[in-house]
Amino acid sequence: MKYPFQCFLAKIILLALASSFVSCYDPSPLQDYCVAVPEKNGVFVNGEFCKDPKLVTSDDFFASGLNIPGNTNKRLGSFVNPANIPGLNTLGVGIARIDFAPGGLIPPHIHPRASEIILVIKGKLLVGFVSSNDYNYTLFSKILYPGDVFVHPIGLVQFHANIGKTNAVAIGAVGSQNPGYISVGDAVFGSKPPIDPKILAKAFALDINIVRYLRKVFSPQDDIVND
Ligand SMILES: *[C@@H]1O[C@H](CO)[C@@H](O)[C@H](O)[C@H]1NC(C)=O
């Protein structure tokens, strides 16, 4: 009568293996919570080290300050303030306040590890994302007013722009504690060391001097002598 049990066990193991292939980011937590603690001496884990559950308090799941406007006085006229909540470690969620000056924008970018839902609180935002090659680079875009929400799927190029005359405020909720951020402009024109300008000129059908100019915009701190 041992066989059925072994078979059952094998099925469980197979199921466990199969699910490890599908949940390849922000894995399902194996505990109620794992409040992050700074830990210097240890090996890297996928997330942060957990606080002793007996020491966890309500404050570990709390943050405030998302009522405070961020400083948008920068080239792109926007500011992102992600809520810093130790208790969201391993839970696969995150939230941020995004401020926009008139004309301000979050430029074309990718969140490699999360989809994002944006909720407009104030102002008038033009938001959108572009599908991949498989779906013919289709632009999906909307003008959002207070109370409107829009979803940006994981891994696709997206942008948010204030097209109103006033400041705008939005809340971005993401499906990862660490969604990641890849600015297309910074990655392409601001990499360190830089991508060969001849390659960028050909890839983007640009004059090489425009590529050099873009490098100055995207890596202003770099000392660009000649390349
Ligand atoms: C993409 O374009 C191809 C070729 O025109 C077409 O067959 C296909 O249906 C399109 N796919 C989508 C998702 O639009």
Side-chain angles (χ1 to χ4, degrees):
M1 289 308 284
K2 277 220 161 105
Y3 173 73
F5 176 69
Q6 280 162 354
C7 181
F8 175 67
L9 211 61
K11 275 185 188 158
I12 298 269
I13 290 167
L14 274 175
L15 271 174
L17 282 175
S19 71
S20 78
F21 292 124
V22 290
S23 57
C24 45
Y25 49 92
D26 281 29
S28 305
L30 299 175
Q31 60 281 314
D32 281 6
Y33 43 78
C34 164
V35 172
V37 281
E39 176 58 71
K40 298 282 183 289
N41 305 315
V43 294
F44 173 80
V45 290
N46 191 18
E48 305 292 335
F49 285 85
C50 306
K51 190 174 184 176
D52 181 345
K54 290 193 280 299
L55 304 179
V56 167
T57 68
S58 303
D59 278 344
D60 288 318
F61 303 98
F62 170 83
S64 67
L66 293 201
N67 58 324
I68 299 166
N71 177 14
T72 58
N73 188 17
K74 298 180 290 178
R75 183 175 76 85
L76 293 172
S78 62
F79 189 90
V80 180
N81 181 16
N84 181 10
I85 313 171
L88 62 71
N89 186 40
T90 75
L91 299 184
V93 292
I95 193 164
R97 173 188 171 121
I98 315 170
D99 284 279
F100 302 83
L105 59 95
I106 309 286
H109 66 280
I110 295 163
H111 294 299
R113 291 179 290 275
S115 296
E116 174 175 356
I117 302 180
I118 194 164
L119 161 66
V120 174
I121 302 289
K122 182 184 170 202
K124 180 181 178 186
L125 287 188
L126 174 68
V127 303
F129 68 88
V130 178
S131 68
S132 70
N133 183 49
D134 289 352
Y135 293 168
N136 303 329
Y137 299 113
T138 309
L139 171 66
F140 295 89
S141 183
K142 270 281 193 194
I143 294 174
L144 305 183
Y145 297 91
D148 293 347
V149 294
F150 191 78
V151 175
H152 303 82
I154 181 171
L156 301 181
V157 173
Q158 56 171 274
F159 63 90
H160 327 298
N162 181 2
I163 58 168
K165 290 187 169 58
T166 64
N167 289 346
V169 182
I171 298 295
V174 287
S176 168
Q177 75 182 72
N178 186 15
Y181 178 82
I182 302 169
S183 154
V184 176
D186 287 337
V188 170
F189 295 105
S191 72
K192 296 167 196 70
I195 300 173
D196 185 335
K198 290 196 287 298
I199 289 176
L200 295 180
K202 179 160 178 150
F204 294 96
L206 293 172
D207 185 280
I208 198 149
N209 289 315
I210 294 181
V211 173
R212 292 196 175 109
Y213 165 77
L214 289 170
R215 271 207 52 206
K216 284 184 191 143
V217 173
F218 286 97
S219 309
Q221 72 280 21
D222 282 10
D223 184 27
I224 300 164
V225 186
N226 49 23
D227 46 20

